[in-house]
């Protein structure tokens, strides 16, 4: 049966040579991350004669709760220096927060389980339940650890050279942009920098995450970047979100960021910045799928399928336009899918579509969408020329009260178990049993 030990018990335990002589005491345990496999213990950091030194795993005969037995009492007394890819369990993980990938939240690691396997000692579980405080112990409240599989977490080590060995996404690749944004808003400065370093490997994902951030968090994280770096993120954001992000920057930084944007995005952003941010004009997306009224249903469906640059939320409807983009009608994609492919759009469309003016207040837009059960509403000028389209998610983002966003989230369901990898042993029994 596999034997388990716990880091909190091991720390400061004596290191004993084969002759029983105490050589030093344990200061830390070193592991190397191995992708989907459990991290392997590669050595120990020992405190010997007032200095920290390295002991390779091969020199450790046994890890015991009372003492650590060495195969040889000979110790290299050169000062320990961390090598690339090494993770120190006490310094980097124990007492630090890690990302619970299944629940998309930051939790703290209060203890670490190590198990002896044929290939050596490996890190298998974390205890994420806070132990009882002093008065709780006096009251008889026993500590009930919450041991969870290591593969359920992504560590935030705060060590750049170690972070590189985890790959560009690691377990964070499973999270949605909104989940990553929530993590960033809860993270401290060091944690947020490491999360962003991982997200930065995918520029499109990075832009999506910044779109999901609350304005104060978005501004705080953007202000730490250069004008060119801000422009690189904003260039990939939706134009309406990009305009809001630039408006929230300090006045002195807006023009340099705008100048660094690609011409097309800069034109869109400047157009939207000319409207009140809480008006229909400030909320709208400028890219709209429009077709001539004489087009067929089949042509409209094909155009929708090829409109990969438009945000998906704006593709619920096709707008019919005439000369100078004057609004003539609207037809939803569901109606198109149910119509004769050879039919003309003017024969299946609503020829009196709901529309909003660019100066319409967002509350009035919300009422329009509610009254007419709309997912999108066109924005048109006084001459009925289509300027853009507003999506329901943008309206909700504006009208939901700020205090609602700060409510405690609903309780998470039971923890999901990570998929075991080759050779893994499921943790369906208490550790050490």
């Amino acid at each position: 049966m596999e034997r388990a030990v716990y880091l909190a018990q091991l720390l400061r335990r004596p290191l004993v040579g084969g002759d029983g002589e105490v050589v030093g005491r344990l200061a830390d345990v070193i592991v190397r991350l191995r992708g989907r496999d459990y991290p392997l213990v590669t050595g120990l950091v020992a405190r010997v004669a007032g200095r920290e030194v390295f002991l390779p795993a091969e020199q450790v005969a046994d890890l015991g709760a009372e003492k650590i037995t060495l195969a040889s009492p000979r110790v290299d007394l050169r000062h320990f220096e961390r090598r690339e890819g090494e993770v120190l369990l006490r310094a980097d993980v124990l007492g630090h927060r890690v990302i619970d990938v299944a629940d998309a939240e930051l939790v703290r690691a209060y203890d670490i389980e190590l198990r002896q396997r044929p290939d050596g000692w490996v890190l298998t579980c974390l205890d994420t339940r806070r132990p009882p405080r002093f008065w709780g112990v006096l009251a008889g409240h026993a500590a009930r650890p919450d041991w969870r599989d290591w593969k359920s977490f992504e560590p935030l080590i705060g060590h750049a050279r170690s972070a590189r060995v985890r790959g560009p996404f690691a377990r964070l690749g499973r999270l949605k942009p909104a989940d990553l944004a929530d993590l960033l808003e809860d993270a401290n400065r060091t944690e947020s920098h490491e999360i962003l370093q991982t997200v930065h490997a995918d520029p499109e994902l990075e832009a999506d995450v910044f779109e999901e951030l609350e304005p104060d968090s978005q501004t705080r994280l953007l202000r730490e970047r250069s004008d060119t770096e801000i422009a690189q993120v904003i260039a990939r954001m939706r134009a309406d979100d990009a305009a809001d992000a630039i408006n929230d920057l300090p006045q002195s930084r807006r023009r340099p960021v705008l100048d660094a944007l690609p011409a097309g995005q800069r034109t869109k952003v400047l157009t939207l910045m000319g409207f009140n941010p809480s008006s229909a004009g400030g909320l709208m997306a400028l890219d709209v799928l429009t077709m001539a009224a004489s087009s067929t249903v089949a042509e409209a469906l094909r155009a929708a399928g090829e409109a990969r640059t438009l945000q998906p939320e704006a593709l619920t409807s096709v707008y019919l336009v005439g000369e100078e983009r004057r609004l003539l009608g609207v037809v939803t994609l569901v109606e198109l899918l149910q119509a004769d492919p050879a039919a003309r759009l003017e024969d299946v469309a609503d020829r009196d579509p709901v529309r909003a003016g660019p100066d319409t207040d967002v509350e009035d837009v919300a009422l329009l969408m509610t009254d007419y059960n709309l997912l999108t509403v066109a924005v048109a000028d006084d001459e009925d020329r289509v300027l853009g389209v507003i999506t329901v998610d943008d309206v909700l983002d504006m009208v939901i009260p700020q205090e609602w966003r700060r409510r405690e989230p609903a309780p998470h369901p039971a923890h999901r178990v990570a998929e075991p990898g080759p050779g893994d042993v499921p943790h369906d029994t208490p550790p050490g049993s």
Side-chain angles (χ1 to χ4, degrees), residues 30-33 42-43 45 54 80-89 92 157 159 161-163 165:
I30 307 167
V31 300
R32 183 172 293 276
L33 302 181
T42 58
V45 180
F54 171 71
F80 166 73
E81 291 186 6
R82 186 200 300 229
R83 299 175 183 175
E84 182 163 345
E86 290 181 337
V87 174
L88 306 182
L89 295 187
D92 300 334
I157 292 169
H159 184 250
R161 290 185 297 165
S162 299
V165 303

Side-chain angles (χ1 to χ4, degrees), residues 288-307 315 317-323 325-331 333 336 343-346 349 351 386:
V288 187
L289 181 56
T290 59
M291 302 285 293
S294 58
S295 303
T296 66
V297 168
E299 289 171 337
L301 287 172
R302 183 163 54 252
E306 295 172 352
L315 275 175
S317 301
V318 176
Y319 290 90
L320 281 59
V321 295
E323 294 182 0
R325 285 173 61 91
R326 283 189 169 82
L327 183 61
L328 301 177
V330 62
V331 57
L333 284 187
L336 290 174
R344 291 156 63 97
L345 292 184
E346 59 190 349
R351 299 304 298 272
V386 176

Side-chain angles (χ1 to χ4, degrees), residues 28-302:
D28 216 326
V29 176
I30 307 167
V31 300
R32 183 172 293 276
L33 302 181
R34 302 188 293 174
R36 285 189 54 80
D37 205 353
Y38 291 106
L40 178 68
V41 174
T42 58
L44 308 179
V45 180
R47 180 164 288 278
V48 178
R51 66 171 62 193
E52 291 189 345
V53 301
F54 171 71
L55 294 175
E58 296 77 16
Q59 194 173 345
V60 180
D62 183 55
L63 288 177
E66 299 300 323
K67 64 180 180 180
I68 297 159
T69 306
L70 304 181
S72 166
R74 298 182 61 183
V75 175
D76 186 342
L77 292 179
R78 286 179 295 180
H79 183 73
F80 166 73
E81 291 186 6
R82 186 200 300 229
R83 299 175 183 175
E84 182 163 345
E86 290 181 337
V87 174
L88 306 182
L89 295 187
R90 181 193 63 79
D92 300 334
V93 181
L94 187 66
H96 295 261
R97 295 205 296 182
V98 296
I99 298 173
D100 181 335
V101 178
D103 291 341
E105 65 179 356
L106 289 162
V107 297
R108 199 169 299 279
Y110 290 103
D111 206 349
I112 298 170
E113 177 194 87
L114 302 173
R115 283 182 178 256
Q116 191 173 26
R117 298 276 178 87
D119 58 340
W121 288 89
V122 295
L123 191 170
T124 51
C125 284
L126 297 181
D127 175 16
T128 60
R129 180 166 297 175
R130 182 190 295 273
R133 295 184 180 274
F134 177 74
W135 293 113
V137 173
L138 291 182
H141 296 159
R144 299 181 58 190
D146 182 18
W147 290 106
R148 305 263 312 283
D149 194 299
W150 166 259
K151 295 181 181 181
S152 299
F153 304 99
E154 179 70 17
L156 294 170
I157 292 169
H159 184 250
R161 290 185 297 165
S162 299
R164 286 203 295 267
V165 303
R166 282 176 272 165
F169 292 108
R171 300 173 184 88
L172 291 189
R174 307 177 194 172
L175 301 182
K176 299 181 185 299
D179 295 329
L180 291 166
D182 288 343
L183 288 174
L184 285 168
E185 288 166 359
D186 186 35
N188 61 34
R189 184 185 180 91
T190 301
E191 292 165 344
S192 64
H193 282 181
E194 186 155 355
I195 295 171
L196 282 175
Q197 183 181 36
T198 300
V199 172
H200 184 66
D202 182 346
E204 296 297 335
L205 175 62
E206 183 180 39
D208 291 342
V209 170
F210 270 92
E211 287 179 354
E212 297 291 344
L213 287 168
E214 291 297 317
D216 55 345
S217 298
Q218 183 189 83
T219 302
R220 172 176 54 83
L221 294 171
L222 284 177
R223 289 173 72 169
E224 296 176 356
R225 302 187 175 200
S226 68
D227 295 336
T228 300
E229 290 170 336
I230 295 174
Q232 289 171 347
V233 175
I234 287 179
R236 292 181 172 87
M237 293 171 65
R238 289 164 32 181
D240 53 333
D241 291 315
D244 291 340
I246 293 178
N247 272 325
D248 289 335
L249 290 174
Q251 182 71 39
S252 61
R253 304 198 66 183
R254 294 176 194 171
R255 176 51 60 183
V257 171
L258 282 166
D259 290 342
L261 289 176
Q265 179 77 332
R266 181 167 61 248
T267 300
K268 293 178 182 178
V269 169
L270 286 170
T271 299
L272 292 170
M273 289 177 69
F275 296 103
N276 186 321
S278 61
S279 69
L283 281 181
M284 67 183 177
L286 297 176
D287 296 322
V288 187
L289 181 56
T290 59
M291 302 285 293
S294 58
S295 303
T296 66
V297 168
E299 289 171 337
L301 287 172
R302 183 163 54 252

Side-chain angles (χ1 to χ4, degrees), residues 364-386:
D364 293 330
V365 175
L367 289 174
L368 276 177
M369 300 182 88
T370 301
D371 289 343
Y372 293 95
N373 298 317
L374 300 175
L375 295 177
T376 62
V377 62
V379 181
D381 63 15
D382 293 338
E383 297 183 13
D384 238 9
R385 289 177 296 215
V386 176

